[in-house]
Amino acid sequence: MTVKEGDPIWEGDEAFRNSSNPARFMDWLRQERGLDFSSYEAMLDWSTDEIEAFWAAIWDYFGIISETPYDCVLQARTMPGASWFPGSRVNYAEHILRREGDHPDRTVFHHLSETRPLAEMTWGDLGTKVRILATRLRERGVGPGDRVVSYMPNVPETIIAMLATTGIGAVWSSAAPEFGVKTVADRFSQIEPKVLFAADGYRFGGRDFVRLAEIEEIAAGLPSLETIVWLDYLGNRERPKTQAEIVAWDEMTGGEPVAAEDFRYERVAHDHPLWILFSSGTTGLPKAIVHSHVGIIVEHYKTAAFHLNLKPHSCMFFYSTTGWVMWNSLLWGPLMGGRVALYDGSPTYPGPDLLWKLAADVGATSFGASPTFVENMRKQGIVPNARYDLSKLENVFLAGSPSTPETFVWLQQAVKQDLWITSQSGGTEFCSGIVGGAPMLPVRAGEIQSRCLAVDVRVLDDEGKELIGEVGEMVIAKPMPSMPIFMWGDEDFSRYRESYFDVYPGLWRHGDFMLINERGGCYVHGRSDSTLNRFGVRIGSAEIYRTLEKVDGVLDSLIVCIEEPGGGYYMPLFVQLREGHALDEALTGEIRARLRGERSPRHVPDEVIAVPAIPYTLTGKKMEVPVRKLLMGWPAEKAYSPDAMQNRQSMDWFIDFARRRSEGGAGMYQSLTRR
């Protein structure tokens, strides 16, 4: 089956569309607000034009619990500094657990790991554990505004710790246990935590990774730390040597239960911090991004309901570690009264189709993963529906990188024919989506269906002119509730402004190149600071990668374009070859011919170079920007952080290549710093 980018491949039938959450919301708007929209697109336009009216409707539609009424929806349409629902007092954890009393014996979590068999947790068990732990934290003097951090795997204990922390108004932050010491220290040292939740290690691909030494070093660098709550995840009874008091997880969550009616959630002001997320940390000190309770509550209701179509019967799964923003989104399922499946371990161990088996075993209705994961399934010839019953699956949610038409087609053929495939793109900055799924609209191969509701996203050229059907800079023209309220330690908002508002005053510049076509379909073309700018013509690296996926001998690839000191450009293509293949004239010629034929002459690289491996960040992104900086002459220590990498040794080749290439003259970095 040959499908071109943008070809229609699916549309829900009338029953599916009419029963979708957006359709029900449109009915409610008609009855309660007197707003009669002729189409989803009409409601979308209203939501981006009248953001105050839209978010007021979200507040009422989902019945947001507030101790006090809000004074107004939005004080002013300013960025940064927009103030949402001032006067309200809310709590995020209370909204997650509000369904507990309705069905305490129903399952809320399925959880599987390489160390534990598949098991379940009920709403009642979750609520009880959260209340006990929250009470123990209060007894230790933890209160509103105190920071509590985690170095734990994706297991129920970590979710419980997060809900207990946020339930008492303390501020949560998480790092994955595979992160190196420097990566964790760069994050946690900025926010001075009082409590650390830590596991003794994790298992990945059948191998145990004990983290005692790392935890000792992390704790030693946190003078504010008073308590470590210790989880024996691998069964290692040894404890780290630290000045902080160590308390066992079972001690903090055991004992007499705390009844729901005897527990008080800390309802906090509209601008009270909920959690702190960090930028990838590929270069420089990671940005400590702070979200509010109220902003995340309303944004997550909107996204879970209208862009994933989650309902009380739904079971959401998304493969994520605790160090990725998607982990903070896993509770979309319980937020809507449904279930969530957690998995900790390798997605391909002991077999490459493990996650599909998990989806079948738990009856997942929404399956989430990166396009890279799905593409690897396709290349390996795996056919999940030949082995597993995936009849309950309603949608696949792709995030993390651009998707290809081939990925969409494979999902229909190998997973389920009647499948709503939604590719979405957002960011750590919002803990939500910018462009994403719309169950009332058709699906087109490789295309993101629509702008998200109430997100005024536009595409601009260098002069600030809006573009339709052309690649340009992604900007957001109006505030969103889940935009960061501030960055920790950035008292004067200078880093905030420099990060997002230095190019287009008054507009959020997200750092991605994007195309929105005339029908509203969206394509994200990668980070704008790593996008290929060759003689003034912008080329998305995703275009290169999509073509190379069809070349048999190429396993992986990375492309950059750098400006030379003399005004020229250099665009090398680095390829990791499959076993048994060599980069001979025939393969190089095929690569060049395909790029020239499928893309344009400007897409043909100056050189094709074989490398041992392609470097990736811990969150699975190709390290285009660090490689580009190395080739521009940046010192390695300024170009990237080894602790932020999956495969540290892979960068050694690029460091050596950049050194050899620059021996004949100064790179761009040296040229700029000498001025």
Side-chain angles (χ1 to χ4, degrees):
M1 181 179 179
T2 302
V3 173
K4 301 190 301 297
E5 193 171 72
D7 283 352
I9 61 170
W10 179 89
E11 185 171 9
D13 60 25
E14 186 176 0
F16 177 85
R17 296 195 304 272
N18 291 342
S19 65
S20 69
N21 286 329
R24 291 176 176 176
F25 182 55
M26 290 170 67
D27 290 340
W28 183 89
L29 289 171
R30 184 181 304 111
Q31 296 167 12
E32 301 295 327
R33 296 290 201 265
L35 297 168
D36 193 0
F37 298 111
S38 59
S39 65
Y40 177 83
E41 291 90 342
M43 180 178 69
L44 173 63
D45 289 342
W46 165 77
S47 74
T48 54
D49 291 339
E50 306 293 337
I51 56 174
E52 294 88 351
F54 173 82
W55 288 110
I58 292 294
W59 185 281
D60 292 342
Y61 185 72
F62 290 105
I64 304 304
I65 304 167
S66 177
E67 194 167 277
T68 53
Y70 60 79
D71 300 328
C72 63
V73 175
L74 177 62
Q75 281 185 335
R77 293 187 178 187
T78 56
M79 295 186 293
S83 183
W84 289 91
F85 299 102
S88 64
R89 297 191 69 85
V90 300
N91 186 277
Y92 166 83
E94 182 175 15
H95 286 80
I96 298 296
L97 287 165
R98 68 192 300 186
R99 306 293 185 103
E100 178 196 351
D102 297 338
H103 35 65
D105 296 327
R106 271 181 51 187
T107 297
V108 62
F109 287 159
H110 303 275
H111 49 98
L112 172 70
S113 76
E114 290 193 24
T115 66
R116 299 171 175 175
L118 182 61
E120 298 177 355
M121 178 176 286
T122 66
W123 281 94
D125 289 340
L126 173 63
T128 298
K129 292 288 187 185
V130 168
R131 288 189 291 274
I132 293 173
L133 180 56
T135 301
R136 299 284 186 273
L137 289 172
R138 277 176 167 156
E139 291 169 353
R140 289 179 168 271
V142 180
D146 289 331
R147 275 77 66 204
V148 175
V149 296
S150 164
Y151 193 54
M152 301 257 285
N154 183 20
V155 290
E157 289 90 340
T158 315
I159 297 282
I160 292 166
M162 184 269 284
L163 291 174
T165 296
T166 58
I168 61 174
V171 185
W172 173 265
S173 192
S174 176
E178 64 268 21
F179 283 10
V181 171
K182 187 176 186 302
T183 297
V184 179
D186 284 348
R187 287 157 168 75
F188 291 168
S189 62
Q190 295 185 58
I191 62 176
E192 300 175 309
K194 198 170 188 176
V195 176
L196 166 67
F197 285 89
D200 57 352
Y202 66 99
R203 184 173 296 169
F204 191 90
R207 179 184 170 193
D208 285 351
F209 295 84
V210 177
R211 305 304 268 174
L212 254 64
E214 287 80 2
I215 292 168
E216 286 180 355
E217 193 172 344
I218 290 166
L222 299 174
S224 61
L225 194 64
E226 297 177 3
T227 304
I228 297 177
V229 181
W230 187 254
L231 177 66
D232 287 318
Y233 184 55
L234 296 180
N236 187 335
R237 297 300 175 184
E238 189 177 351
R239 301 290 178 87
K241 298 176 178 62
T242 171
Q243 295 298 313
E245 181 185 3
I246 299 177
V247 186
W249 171 267
D250 289 344
E251 182 179 338
M252 290 290 285
T253 57
E256 289 296 317
V258 179
E261 58 270 20
D262 296 329
F263 181 79
R264 175 181 55 85
Y265 289 100
E266 191 72 38
R267 294 176 181 167
V268 294
H270 70 287
D271 58 354
H272 187 87
L274 168 66
W275 53 43
I276 301 170
L277 305 181
F278 290 89
S279 62
S280 65
T282 304
T283 59
L285 199 64
K287 297 189 291 288
I289 295 166
V290 185
H291 293 126
S292 70
H293 281 250
V294 74
I296 291 296
I297 289 168
V298 296
E299 184 68 49
H300 280 198
Y301 268 120
K302 181 204 76 173
T303 303
F306 303 142
H307 300 300
L308 271 187
N309 205 37
L310 297 176
K311 301 176 180 180
H313 77 272
S314 298
C315 179
M316 176 185 172
F317 169 76
F318 195 101
Y319 178 71
S320 176
T321 72
T322 53
W324 188 17
V325 63
M326 286 309 304
W327 184 83
N328 296 73
S329 305
L330 290 177
L331 291 182
W332 287 345
L335 186 66
M336 298 304 297
R339 297 168 288 139
V340 64
L342 308 177
Y343 174 67
D344 179 55
S346 167
T348 57
Y349 180 86
D353 58 355
L354 171 74
L355 297 187
W356 300 108
K357 181 180 186 304
L358 173 62
D361 289 344
V362 302
T365 61
S366 178
F367 181 97
S370 71
T372 302
F373 167 81
V374 176
E375 185 63 17
N376 286 338
M377 299 287 103
R378 184 180 74 84
K379 288 183 174 180
Q380 293 179 57
I382 293 171
V383 183
N385 62 16
R387 296 192 63 187
Y388 305 115
D389 178 8
L390 298 170
S391 58
K392 293 184 179 179
L393 199 61
E394 297 171 1
N395 92 291
V396 167
F397 171 26
L398 301 171
S401 61
S403 298
T404 67
E406 293 79 11
T407 298
F408 280 49
V409 171
W410 179 85
L411 286 167
Q412 282 193 327
Q413 294 177 342
V415 178
K416 190 179 180 183
Q417 184 65 40
D418 185 20
L419 190 63
W420 173 41
I421 303 165
T422 165
S423 176
Q424 310 207 20
S425 182
T428 301
E429 293 86 353
F430 315 111
C431 195
S432 185
I434 299 171
V435 291
M440 298 180 72
L441 299 181
V443 171
R444 296 176 180 272
E447 185 171 297
I448 300 173
Q449 287 178 284
S450 173
R451 297 167 291 149
C452 288
L453 290 167
V455 182
D456 191 356
V457 58
R458 307 178 188 182
V459 176
L460 304 184
D461 65 13
D462 290 340
E463 285 71 46
K465 177 184 175 183
E466 188 167 1
L467 302 172
I468 298 295
E470 297 181 47
V471 175
E473 194 82 45
M474 177 198 293
V475 303
I476 299 173
K478 296 187 185 78
M480 295 168 56
S482 65
M483 280 179 172
I485 49 177
F486 59 88
M487 294 180 186
W488 200 269
D490 182 35
E491 289 82 4
D492 61 358
F493 280 70
S494 59
R495 194 178 187 195
Y496 198 157
R497 291 190 178 91
E498 179 185 337
S499 298
Y500 304 109
F501 299 99
D502 62 340
V503 177
Y504 303 101
L507 301 177
W508 174 290
R509 173 181 171 270
H510 193 57
D512 279 341
F513 274 126
M514 183 180 175
L515 180 148
I516 301 178
N517 58 33
E518 292 183 356
R519 61 174 173 266
C522 305
Y523 295 85
V524 176
H525 289 273
R527 298 295 295 173
S528 53
D529 49 8
S530 64
T531 296
L532 315 172
N533 185 350
R534 208 174 191 198
F535 301 102
V537 178
R538 290 169 174 167
I539 302 170
S541 58
E543 298 173 312
I544 306 286
Y545 302 143
R546 185 187 161 204
T547 291
L548 291 175
E549 286 171 357
K550 303 173 186 175
V551 179
D552 287 340
V554 176
L555 179 64
D556 205 353
S557 60
L558 183 147
I559 191 163
V560 297
C561 185
I562 63 170
E563 302 81 12
E564 301 277 51
Y569 293 82
Y570 173 59
M571 193 170 85
L573 170 65
F574 302 99
V575 294
Q576 180 182 351
L577 301 176
R578 295 186 180 278
E579 189 174 351
H581 290 266
L583 188 62
D584 52 21
E585 289 185 5
L587 183 54
T588 301
E590 181 185 357
I591 290 170
R592 292 180 179 275
R594 281 184 176 271
L595 289 170
R596 183 183 298 274
E598 295 183 16
R599 302 300 172 184
S600 78
R602 292 187 182 273
H603 287 74
V604 179
D606 296 311
E607 287 189 87
V608 182
I609 305 164
V611 299
I614 300 298
Y616 280 85
T617 68
L618 287 169
T619 55
K621 297 184 184 300
K622 294 183 183 184
M623 297 180 69
E624 296 164 323
V625 175
V627 169
R628 183 171 181 265
K629 287 183 174 180
L630 287 172
L631 295 182
M632 290 172 68
W634 286 54
E637 64 270 19
K638 291 182 176 291
Y640 77 105
S641 167
D643 281 344
M645 295 182 63
Q646 286 184 6
N647 45 351
R648 298 186 186 193
Q649 292 76 20
S650 61
M651 196 61 87
D652 294 343
W653 185 96
F654 290 89
I655 293 172
D656 184 64
F657 176 80
R659 178 189 56 77
R660 288 185 280 110
R661 187 173 182 276
S662 66
E663 285 175 348
M668 179 63 75
Y669 178 83
Q670 287 91 343
S671 177
L672 290 172
T673 54
R674 290 173 186 171
R675 292 183 182 179

